[in-house]
Amino acid sequence: MREAILLVGGQGTRLRPLTINTPKPMLPVAGVPFTVHQILRARDAGVTRIVLATSYKADVFADFLSNSELGAADSGIDIVIATEDEPLGTGGAIRYASSFLTSAPTDSVIVFNGDVLTGLDINALVHHHEQTNSDVTLYLTKVSDPRAYGLVPTDPTGRVLQFLEKPQTPEEIVTDQINAGCYVFTRSVIDRIPPGRPVSVERETFPELLAQSRLVSGVVDQGYWLDLGTPLAFVQGSVDLVRGIAPSPAVIAPGESLILAGAIVDPTAVISDGTTLGVNARVGVDSIVSGSVVFAGAVIGDHCVIRNSIIGEGAVIGDHCIIDGSVIGDHSQVGAHNELREGVRVWVDSVIPELSVRFSSDQ
Ligand code: GDD
Ligand code: MG
């Protein structure tokens, strides 16, 4: 019996408006909700029971599992949903979810952030934790700009020296090693997290353990790693999964694009660079869709160029549009001839009128 907790209760603020209707871990990535990639990777690493620590839009997870083979008794992994009444933060969520575990105090419990795409050898992390008799073992990676993450300097033996969540000043940037969002806890350490109130493992639990000189270890793994928390990273993660650059048991046949059931592509259109076209999506004459994610039922008109963008569920893009590095919310309508570039976000259910051809040719 190997147990894990998957933290999936965040609001996904940086991915709005995509997360208005769907919690971040349930957004489709390479054809299935991101959570499915993570659950299958955990199962393949020998996890037999996983608690989904939910809060924001918890019902979406429950609905999905009740209709999915993953939720069936013979799926090879027992999935339990724990729902906080109020968001309890990462530490509070781990503490609450632990009441659904059966592990003994000395057992190892794996904890995953719900938005991290990685090829980490999960068993090697558990092995390191148990060999070193650590209280907590953190998976670390190195990035060129660590400011958006938890900074984790270690000594030459791998002992964690400090945990600095999202440093605010240049002096705090003491390392390029970051918390990569997967931990092994000895169960008794989770039991000491205060129950019933918000706790951040990053800002409270880890610094406290270090102040008490408890053994917190770090394992640096330089394999594939991506936090899918922003639109650009979300598109990148999806593209990398479709092309087989990022590993997932849920991607059976990597390729240049993934076109799901019922999607209709005009023979003159080009779908490339790791694009996913969702169920029943449509792409019109001479359009190019490259390095993008098009959700179910979205319609892209004729002569469009869509690059590095996310087109929400049921959104309609008129003819001759250029959409580059942008996010279009679910069920929005973008009229013909619009050009949306570099970070534009269109809210859900919006209507952007057609840009008159006469106006654009006058420019
Ligand atoms: N159940 C529950 N309840 N889950 C939560 C809550 C909560 O109140 N708050 C956040 N989570 C979940 C999110 O759904 C996500 O899966 C995970 O906790 C981390 O939250 P993020 O919002 O994605 O945090 P981050 O990306 O800014 O930073 C975290 O991840 C980085 C690596 O990707 C931190 O752990 C950093 O230290 C780390 O470097
Ligand atoms: Mg994140």
Side-chain angles (χ1 to χ4, degrees):
M1 161 78 81
R2 164 83 70 215
E3 291 187 309
I5 295 170
L6 183 56
L7 295 172
V8 287
Q11 296 204 5
T13 323
R14 286 167 295 170
L15 274 178
R16 283 185 192 158
L18 300 171
T19 47
I20 292 298
N21 298 321
T22 309
K24 171 167 65 174
M26 286 301 293
L27 289 170
V29 182
V32 293
F34 184 64
T35 291
V36 172
H37 297 282
Q38 283 194 302
I39 293 175
L40 292 183
R41 267 185 43 79
R43 184 185 71 181
D44 286 4
V47 172
T48 50
R49 192 147 187 281
I50 192 161
V51 182
L52 305 196
T54 65
S55 166
Y56 179 67
K57 297 202 174 287
D59 51 322
V60 180
F61 295 90
D63 289 350
F64 173 76
L65 284 177
S66 63
N67 294 309
S68 156
E69 286 172 15
L70 257 188
D74 61 353
S75 68
I77 185 163
D78 188 14
I79 304 171
V80 182
I81 296 187
T83 304
E84 297 140 44
D85 292 335
E86 298 291 330
L88 290 175
T90 48
I94 294 169
R95 176 70 166 92
Y96 178 64
S98 73
S99 55
F100 297 79
L101 298 175
T102 60
S103 304
T106 54
D107 286 347
S108 301
V109 175
I110 309 165
V111 177
F112 301 99
N113 280 0
D115 60 350
V116 167
L117 180 57
T118 160
L120 170 73
D121 182 343
I122 297 167
N123 281 311
L125 194 73
V126 176
H127 185 73
H128 185 93
H129 179 77
E130 293 175 352
Q131 287 297 303
T132 53
N133 226 344
S134 297
D135 290 294
V136 185
T137 300
L138 313 184
Y139 160 35
L140 309 177
T141 191
K142 292 181 187 229
V143 293
S144 52
D145 182 0
R147 285 174 299 175
Y149 305 104
L151 268 55
V152 189
T154 48
D155 76 6
T157 69
R159 186 177 188 126
V160 171
L161 299 171
Q162 258 184 308
F163 194 106
L164 292 155
E165 181 67 10
K166 307 207 172 81
Q168 298 296 310
T169 60
E171 295 74 51
E172 285 184 311
I173 303 173
V174 293
T175 177
D176 59 353
Q177 272 179 195
I178 61 149
N179 167 24
C182 175
Y183 323 116
V184 183
F185 276 81
T186 300
R187 165 79 196 258
S188 59
V189 175
I190 297 180
D191 294 337
R192 282 196 292 272
I193 297 174
R197 70 159 169 91
V199 177
S200 159
V201 275
E202 296 89 346
R203 295 180 193 277
E204 188 173 338
T205 311
F206 296 148
E208 263 178 30
L209 288 169
L210 294 170
Q212 294 160 0
S213 302
R214 305 287 292 273
L215 181 55
V216 180
S217 298
V219 174
V220 181
D221 182 306
Q222 281 290 73
Y224 187 95
W225 180 86
L226 193 65
D227 174 323
L228 271 63
T230 63
L232 276 180
F234 181 86
V235 172
Q236 186 69 53
S238 181
V239 161
D240 287 348
L241 279 165
V242 168
R243 302 176 85 183
I245 294 165
S248 169
V251 179
I252 290 125
E256 264 307 283
S257 61
L258 176 63
I259 299 180
L260 297 179
I264 300 172
V265 181
D266 188 273
T268 57
V270 179
I271 315 296
S272 68
D273 299 299
T275 293
T276 299
L277 282 190
V279 172
N280 296 336
R282 288 189 348 234
V283 181
V285 177
D286 277 339
S287 286
I288 296 170
V289 188
S290 139
S292 294
V293 184
V294 179
F295 286 176
V299 178
I300 293 164
D302 300 340
H303 312 288
C304 291
V305 178
I306 316 286
R307 276 189 217 286
N308 305 332
S309 294
I310 307 166
I311 311 297
E313 197 174 306
V316 178
I317 312 297
D319 299 341
H320 297 280
C321 282
I322 298 173
I323 300 186
D324 196 343
S326 298
V327 178
I328 311 299
D330 294 344
H331 306 291
S332 283
Q333 296 175 35
V334 178
H337 296 281
N338 276 285
E339 189 170 327
L340 308 177
R341 290 186 188 266
E342 302 309 327
V344 168
R345 296 193 196 195
V346 175
W347 203 248
V348 293
D349 301 318
S350 305
V351 178
I352 299 187
E354 172 174 342
L355 202 61
S356 103
V357 179
R358 199 167 65 93
F359 171 79
S360 60
S361 60
D362 282 350
Q363 295 298 299

